[in-house]
Amino acid sequence: MSIVVTGATGQLGRLVIDALLATVPAASVAAVVRDKEKAADLAERGVELRIADYDRPETLAEAFEAGDRVLLVSGSEVGRRVPQHAAVLGAAKTAGVAQLAYTSILGGPEADFDLAVEHQETERLILASGLPYTFLRNGWYSENYTANLAPVLAHGAVVSNAGEGRIASATRADFAAAAAAVLTGPAEEHLNRAYELSGDTAWSLAEYAAEVAAQSGREVTYSNVPAEAHLAILTGAGVPEAFAGILVDVDRAVERGALALRTGDLARLIGRPTTPIAVTIREALNAS
């Protein structure tokens, strides 16, 4: 029996591996990856590599074993995730895994924005499969914003159509620590339940802009624009129209309060407060 992480060379997957290796022996951890070379560093740390591809279901047959506790990290290709996830679920069911944890989205079936649809369908597939499950309904990553600090500083503006909506974000490392806790803790505590995971504090983009300004020493303002204008700005900057539409739709959801939900689940799972957005901003500025 192993603790198995899919998508282990991705941004979240790597952090989950790091969190696991801080608490359990490397020999008990397996990483499902497409590219063995990209995972060479994981192998050097003693993690077992299982080579498989979400888009090639036949490769998933050897990815799981009976009794494994599995984290299905959701695919990154919007529009293709349901068949990809279904292939993973089929292989996990055949193998007889003991737990299937899935990185879903905050709000689960109640989430009312486009990006949630594939997660909702995956949750339905997991429930129908009969697999022992844990839904990790992740909120917004703070890095979704701090990764784009360069253009914010260059233009002196945070541009959005989110109005005064608030975002209870946390870092990827916070969410990774929660996944590791669910995969290493007593299974009976976590099976067949859902966690709504979000940061301890919800902040607005106006507050975010003010914090970036204070820490950088530069003038940064918040510019709230109509959704159509935001879409034009994004596509004009080279963002593909389909993805730009998703971002605009998420901002509409932020304005409605869909990403402001705070339950305390994340802090309880990781045993500490979640990382404040000010800390993530500081780290991003120091790295730039």
Side-chain angles (χ1 to χ4, degrees):
M1 175 211 128
S2 297
I3 299 172
V4 184
V5 179
T6 75
T9 55
Q11 290 178 301
L12 181 63
R14 281 189 176 278
L15 291 172
V16 175
I17 296 287
D18 288 343
L20 288 170
L21 295 183
T23 58
V24 299
S28 67
V29 179
V32 177
V33 299
R34 287 184 297 180
D35 189 331
K36 184 177 181 179
E37 297 304 315
K38 287 185 178 179
D41 61 311
L42 299 180
E44 289 172 0
R45 298 170 72 185
V47 174
E48 177 191 356
L49 301 186
R50 300 181 183 178
I51 311 303
D53 189 331
Y54 289 173
D55 288 319
R56 298 170 57 207
E58 70 279 4
T59 67
L60 291 163
E62 305 298 322
F64 311 113
E65 298 175 356
D68 282 348
R69 299 178 72 173
V70 177
L71 175 67
L72 168 54
V73 176
S74 59
S76 59
E77 298 170 284
V78 177
R80 299 177 60 185
R81 293 190 284 193
V82 172
Q84 290 175 336
H85 297 166
V88 173
L89 297 180
K93 176 78 171 178
T94 299
V97 306
Q99 179 184 19
L100 191 289
Y102 171 63
T103 59
S104 190
I105 201 160
L106 189 67
E110 304 303 319
D112 60 350
F113 46 99
D114 293 344
L115 196 60
V117 172
E118 289 177 300
H119 291 294
Q120 292 165 337
E121 180 58 26
T122 299
E123 285 197 12
R124 286 192 287 267
L125 290 174
I126 292 171
L127 292 173
S129 75
L131 284 164
Y133 69 89
T134 309
F135 294 149
L136 300 170
R137 292 175 176 159
N138 290 354
W140 224 231
Y141 301 143
S142 297
E143 293 91 342
N144 290 347
Y145 294 95
T146 59
N148 296 313
L149 275 181
V152 166
L153 294 172
H155 297 286
V158 174
V159 180
S160 171
N161 58 280
E164 298 178 3
R166 306 185 77 81
I167 303 155
S169 73
T171 62
R172 282 193 181 89
D174 290 341
F175 290 108
V182 162
L183 292 167
T184 58
E188 62 272 13
E189 292 183 11
H190 304 298
L191 290 183
N192 302 326
R193 64 179 299 177
Y195 293 104
E196 302 289 349
L197 304 179
S198 58
D200 295 336
T201 302
W203 44 269
S204 70
L205 285 168
E207 291 168 345
Y208 173 76
E211 184 65 30
V212 172
Q215 291 200 33
S216 67
R218 298 166 69 170
E219 183 176 351
V220 179
T221 60
Y222 172 48
S223 179
N224 183 55
V225 299
E228 296 76 14
H230 192 200
L231 182 65
I233 290 168
L234 291 169
T235 54
V239 178
E241 186 168 359
F243 187 60
I246 288 171
L247 296 177
V248 169
D249 184 66
V250 166
D251 275 359
R252 290 193 187 100
V254 170
E255 186 173 32
R256 295 193 299 271
L259 292 175
L261 177 66
R262 290 175 291 159
T263 65
D265 281 355
L266 181 53
R268 282 190 289 270
L269 281 176
I270 64 180
R272 58 170 173 79
T274 61
T275 306
I277 187 63
V279 172
T280 312
I281 291 170
R282 182 172 66 247
E283 291 174 349
L285 288 171
N286 289 340
S288 63

